[in-house]
Amino acid sequence: MSLIDLKDIKAGYGATPILNGVNMAIDASDIGVIVGPNGAGKSTTLKAIFGLLNVMDGTITFDGRDTTRLEADRLVPMGLSFVPQEHNVFTSMTVHENLEMGAFIRRDDISGTLDEVYEMFPDLKAKRRQPAGELSGGQRQMVAMGRALMSKPKLLMLDEPSAGLSPRYMMEIFEQVVKINAAGVGILMVEQNARQALAFATKGFVLANGQNRFTGTGQELLDDPDVAKSFLGG
Amino acid sequence: MNAMTTRYIAAFIALFVLIVGVGMMMGSAFTVRLLVEAFAFALIAMGLNIQWGFGGLFNFGILGMLMVGGFAVTFISYPVNMEFWGSEGPLYLGRTLLGMAIGAVLIFFAHRVQRFGITGKGRGAVIVIAWFIAYVIFRSQMDPAASYITSTAGWVGGLGLPVLLGWAFGGVLAGLMGWLIGKVSLGLRADYLAIATIGIAEILRAVLKNLEWLTRGTLTVSPIPWPVWTPQIYQANGADTTTSFILARGGFLAVVVVIVLIALFLIHRAYLGPWGRMNRAIRDNYIAAGSMGKDVTGRQLEIFVFGSVLMGIGGAILVSFVGIYDPSSYQPINHTFIIWVMLIVGGAGNNFGALFGGIFIYIVWMLSEPLAQALFNALSRFSSDMGWGAIPDIASRAVQMRVFVMGLVVTIALRFAPQGLLPEVIRRKE
Amino acid sequence: MNDLIFFFNQAIIGGVVLGSIYALGAVGVTLIFGILRFAHFAHGDMMTLGGFISFVLAGIVAGLGIAFPLPIGFIVVPFAMLIAAGLALGIDKGFYAPLRARGAKPVTLLIASIGVTMMIQGLIRLFFGVGTYSFFDTQPKVLHRIELPFEGVTRPISFSEPQLLLVISTIIAVVALHYFLTRSRLGKGMRAMADNPDLAKVSGINTKLVVRVTWIIAGALACLAGTMLALDVSLKPDLAFNIVLPIFAAAILGGLGHAYGAIAGGFVLGFAETLAVFNWSVLLRPFRDNLPEWFEIPNTLSLVQSEYKLTVAFVILVVVLLVRPTGIFKGAST
């Protein structure tokens, strides 16, 4: 049984669904990458999982429990974490406080996890007393990921973590994603830089018009001529 | 006949039955008085409906508009004060005007100092200094003028012109005020706009209350003439007291109802026409409307002014009817918040809702007091019978019940009928 | 020197006292705005209500006949604050939470708060009438006079005990709030939610709990401000209704949603009001002989007449709204 299982998800903001039956399964050992054209429902899938919008049909099972109708404040304690694409740091709070907010649901000692995050992103340790709003885009992305890791998630969901970043930061973020996964955290991410992301994905999903178009390992998708032609720019 | 039409008919029949009931309980003279005021408030609620219902513009400064309207009718229709015109008062006021003009010129040029190469902080400083100097010049002329007028003639008096002209002027003056307020604050978000309008209204209130030379301030002005025969004239012609009141107030009511109907007709036509459609488009999505090339700020200013005009006329009517202009009698609860209750309960966005809400809520407001008094008297009898003693100060407490009732009514309406009793009709274009 | 002390007594002490009241009120307004995104208009009436709760408690305590070295109204304030916090929670649950659950716009909540204003006002007057009450019927109001040890100085620095207690409790409240917001988990959660409500939710912060804590703090501070204001002047049903606008002015001046800005804004407005009506010719008189011949010191030389004291706050409010709606201090409040 997978860590998370999406079965025929139909979801959207109003009455008209954006997702018309999405299926996905991710294990704790997996790095899942969702790619596809704009408006395909990539981000919507993550938001539907995280209870941020209305799921009309289908079921979501996380860690053996039905979480279809649960909202964020119940999902985080169960081991789900989400890094939104934009506005993903508390700009008026320091880096350190941002990380503490990620651990809001925890009542135990968080210093160990803090050390791990600072070890993972040494840049942040030096800036931990600075308001997150003063950091560069790449550093903000690190704060956002660090915040999401502070709750010790089983599954980390990232919405376009490399958007707007320089290649150097993109590579660093991807490296960290692989490391986090190696430590036993499942990953599900949406990526625009599809080729780079699929290169290390154990599971790749191509979405179009709110439905799965292709599913396979990252390498399979990269090798598939149809996928390459339609979705990876030839 | 659809459900909505039935609801309209039912609502207005119920209102009519309520009025007849009140008439039988409280007597005709009281009921006619109640109706005059209720229609005036309905006119004001229609003004707010234009601003909030059509335009989505928040106005918490209704009180200021009513005060301005009341001042206008006082100034236009009150008899001329010869003592003032015979004194040096006008000369003093002329000097004050000159001082204001000089100040205005100063400020005008201060805002244009960048032409002389002064920009940024320097320009800001120049502007602040110019305002300060203008203020000092104004005060140096105004203070002696005010104390001269109050000590010699008392106040400037009125112009002795017809009352209806005064009502019209009330609309004009309030419209002007609405233009000023709108000009400076319409860019603000709703909650900021609310605070800004209430702040400006409070400034207006403080000014009108303390301008003794212009408004007599706390000394109040009375009697303010009526546009129709007063009870005194009927009495002089041989009518007994009750009949004279009913006849005089009935005449007044007729004038007010005609004005309300004309306003309703005009607003409703405008609402159904392209002007109303554009305004609804702006209200529902001003960003989209703006990007389609509509002049959003211009339209909003127009709406704010039109609404203010109705409020000013309503305020003028109320002052004429009561016959006394007392700037300190204006209170946010009685002159701003209650209008909101009327519109929310009646149905924002619907002219008939505003009309219905205005009349209905005013009747509830006025009846809450005697009803509460009766309730308290009954309770008091019960508690004295039980040996717990009577409730003290029933009369003064009962007045307060109506404020509580209004608060309860609006919160209940917001929770259970947020569209109001007569909701806005959404017409789908086929 | 005597004139300077007069200035100190009138303008500085007056400004600090008024500023403390405004600051305590504005903090509540700004916290509610930061968390719930609406202008809570009934805040002034929550202050009045708090004053009356203290008054009733003080009456009960005075009835017990225990003597205290401090005003009884002040002794009972912590208990009154507890009750007021509970009432604030109840008001939210009864009137605002259902609207939020429906997804109503902030403006709707603002109108609802007008309804709450009217209900509180009506109820207070129903029970207490329209009269004025004093906390000092059973004990005297202590006046402090500090004689200065300088030659030729006859006028003492003077202030009342309630004023001193007000300033002390404001300092305590502000420091406590500071530690709460920067040190405690819930306080930081509150700041996080004010900063970015969506991300706060995503982080698993219990937003409903944060909302409750916000009402508890706002209600308690409103009660403190109302009681201290009533101790300083007197208790009236329309006590705070008249200062709700200056409080909003202070909160906007400091940037809505910013607690420290609200405190600073409160003091700025408090001083602005007292300095604007202060008669500056008092300070000029000692220099009578040094001034040029043509300059005659007028009897009253204040920026505005004292009738317009409250208007100063509104004018500042309107100017701030027009020139810099985000407040004079750093920060954007969206």
Side-chain angles (χ1 to χ4, degrees), chain B residues 217-368:
Chain B
T218 46
L219 297 174
T220 73
V221 184
S222 67
I224 290 159
W226 278 23
V228 293
W229 275 17
T230 57
Q232 287 73 28
I233 302 176
Y234 280 107
Q235 280 163 26
N237 284 309
D240 66 271
T241 317
T242 318
T243 324
S244 74
F245 272 102
I246 295 174
L247 285 174
R249 287 171 178 178
F252 204 114
L253 178 63
V255 178
V256 176
V257 168
V258 167
I259 290 177
V260 169
L261 288 182
I262 292 174
L264 186 66
F265 175 74
L266 291 178
I267 300 168
H268 205 64
R269 271 197 37 171
Y271 175 74
L272 295 178
W275 184 81
R277 269 202 304 281
M278 186 195 296
N279 284 322
R280 287 197 295 283
I282 291 174
R283 177 195 64 189
D284 295 336
N285 193 340
Y286 64 92
I287 296 167
S291 61
M292 280 171 357
K294 311 279 187 213
D295 175 12
V296 173
T297 325
R299 289 307 116 180
Q300 289 188 333
L301 195 57
E302 226 167 77
I303 279 182
F304 206 75
V305 170
F306 283 163
S308 304
V309 169
L310 289 192
M311 292 173 184
I313 297 175
I317 291 175
L318 283 175
V319 164
S320 299
F321 183 66
V322 184
I324 177 167
Y325 185 59
D326 176 8
S328 32
S329 70
Y330 287 83
Q331 296 295 332
I333 285 188
N334 303 19
H335 295 96
T336 296
F337 299 161
I338 192 171
I339 319 282
W340 274 95
V341 180
M342 290 168 176
L343 188 61
I344 298 294
V345 171
N350 184 336
N351 292 308
F352 297 100
L355 177 71
F356 174 82
I359 297 172
F360 174 66
I361 289 296
Y362 191 73
I363 293 174
V364 173
W365 170 254
M366 290 301 281
L367 286 187
S368 294

